[in-house]
Structures are given as C-alpha cells and as structure tokens.
Amino acid sequence: NAGVTQTPKFQVLKTGQSMTLQCAQDMNHEYMSWYRQDPGMGLRLIHYSVGAGITDQGEVPNGYNVSRSTTEDFPLRLLSAAPSQTSVYFCATSGTSAYEQYFGPGTRLTVT
Amino acid sequence: TQLLEQSPQFLSIQEGENLTVYCNSSSVFSSLQWYRQEPGEGPVLLVTVVTGGEVKKLKRLTFQFGDARKDSSLHITAAQPGDTGLYLCARFMPYNNNDMRFGAGTRLTVKP
C-alpha cells in the first residue's frame, strides 16, 4: 500500500518548456488536489478534483492544467514553464473532501 | 493576503521546554486542522478541531479551538528533538467552492 506517490522527485526546466507532474494514489480516495509551497507562503491550492472527470480551480490556477480520467491519477501539467513556477509541489488526497488530507512526498521544481 | 496568521514564524528551544504556537484569523472557521511537516516530506495531519472551545490531546501535544472559532493554539509539553518541524494550520470551507487555505507555518527547532 504505497499511499500517495509523486514523480519525479526533482526536476529542472528551462523557461518555456512543458512537463507533467504525476500523482497516483491507491487509497481509493475521491478528492485529490495539487498545492505549491513557497517560503513564507504556506501551501497554496492550485487545482482540485472531487472525482473522476471533475476538476476545479483553487487559489493559484494560472499556468497549470489538470485532468482526472481515473480515480487513481491526477496529473498536473505546466504548458510553458516560467521562473515564477519554481516551487515544491504537493499532491494530496482525501476520502470525501479536503477535510483530512494525505500528502505525497513532493516534487521540487526549478525553472531557469 | 494571508487569511491564516501563524505565530511565531520561527521558534528555537531546548529539549524539555514547553511552547505554544498560534493560528489566528479574522474569519470564523467551520473547522481547523493542524499538520506537521518534516524537511523533504509532505505535511502529516495531526488533528482536526470542529467545535468552539474544543480541546484535543495527542500525547504531549494539546490543541485548542477558540470559543469564537477564529483562532487555535498548539501547546507542546516537554518538547523533544523529534518535535522539530514546520507546524501548519489549515482551514477548509466546503461551502465556499471547497476552498482550502494554509497558514505560512511555525518552524520549530528543538535542540538536544
């Protein structure tokens, strides 16, 4: 039982490149979300999903896309990376809502 | 705008000391969560408080939710080096577009 897994662990991109951060869970949770964590800012919600086929925007959605085709996976796409997207990204899941969330280990992204 | 204000931002104490950290807002919470995050890992949920005036204990950690549900505190008795980490409070508003907001955190260091 792996819980919440995220890949890659580290990534360096050049400005303008695209990439997908992967998130997978084996807890059969309906609610999944993506956060970014920056020094002094806490975690900020990017996008979330309440179930397969349903996604919505969080506090800071610009520059990011998501989709939810299965219960298990919730990838986060950066279409054209910018230095402002340098951050640590966390995926989280919850059984029915964001009430009690389980976080993955994070992806540290640097955009140069 | 930081909707959740945590204080202090940094705290460094000796093993065996007691400490209290705070989470405050001008808004009323429906519920509030406390997480602990260790370096290189995702946050881990410690507790959820729901009722105004509620007190919950988790071993040496005591969590209190203010009567007006606008503030919360975390008290640690006889701190140990294993308590070192970033303590985050978070509030979830399921009736406000599933909005989830975190404070910036209190970074605690307990020296042996």
Side-chain angles (χ1 to χ4, degrees):
Chain A
N1 189 351
V4 182
T5 58
Q6 291 185 238
T7 56
K9 184 77 170 172
F10 301 94
Q11 183 70 50
V12 179
L13 291 178
K14 294 185 185 301
T15 297
Q17 287 185 321
S18 63
M19 79 159 295
T20 299
L21 280 63
Q22 301 291 344
C23 174
Q25 54 107 353
D26 61 3
M27 296 184 286
N28 202 32
H29 283 172
E30 292 294 328
Y31 186 96
M32 297 186 74
S33 54
W34 277 102
Y35 295 86
R36 59 177 291 173
Q37 186 174 32
D38 302 293
M41 300 286 292
L43 287 95
R44 291 182 291 169
L45 182 64
I46 304 172
H47 286 284
Y48 66 93
S49 168
V50 298
I54 306 169
T55 64
D56 209 341
Q57 297 179 352
E59 182 185 357
V60 288
N62 292 340
Y64 307 95
N65 282 349
V66 292
S67 60
R68 183 92 179 271
S69 56
T70 67
T71 299
E72 294 77 21
D73 300 298
F74 190 42
L76 179 71
R77 297 183 184 86
L78 284 71
L79 298 179
S80 180
S84 61
Q85 294 178 305
T86 293
S87 188
V88 181
Y89 291 85
F90 289 98
C91 176
T93 75
S94 180
T96 54
S97 71
Y99 207 61
E100 295 183 354
Q101 298 190 84
Y102 297 86
F103 284 81
T107 294
R108 184 174 294 274
L109 175 67
T110 302
V111 183
T112 61
Chain B
T1 302
Q2 197 71 42
L3 298 182
L4 293 174
E5 298 289 341
Q6 290 192 245
S7 61
Q9 187 176 1
F10 299 96
L11 186 58
S12 180
I13 61 172
Q14 293 295 133
E15 182 176 3
E17 293 183 1
N18 300 332
L19 67 112
T20 303
V21 299
Y22 302 91
C23 176
N24 297 293
S25 173
S26 58
S27 304
V28 174
F29 308 142
S30 57
S31 65
L32 187 120
Q33 300 169 355
W34 284 93
Y35 291 81
R36 180 169 67 209
Q37 183 179 19
E38 298 187 14
E41 299 183 7
V44 175
L45 179 68
L46 297 173
V47 76
T48 300
V49 287
V50 177
T51 306
E54 183 176 5
V55 176
K56 282 191 174 180
K57 293 192 174 184
L58 184 65
K59 297 183 181 178
R60 294 175 294 100
L61 279 60
T62 301
F63 304 86
Q64 186 159 5
F65 201 14
D67 291 340
R69 292 188 291 134
K70 290 185 177 181
D71 58 271
S72 181
S73 63
L74 160 58
H75 181 80
I76 301 179
T77 303
Q80 299 177 359
D83 296 326
T84 293
L86 179 67
Y87 288 82
L88 297 158
C89 65
R91 71 114 169 96
F92 174 56
M93 302 287 277
Y95 303 111
N96 185 21
N97 212 25
N98 282 302
D99 193 15
M100 184 75 178
R101 298 294 177 102
F102 281 79
T106 292
R107 189 165 297 281
L108 172 66
T109 302
V110 182
K111 300 177 183 178

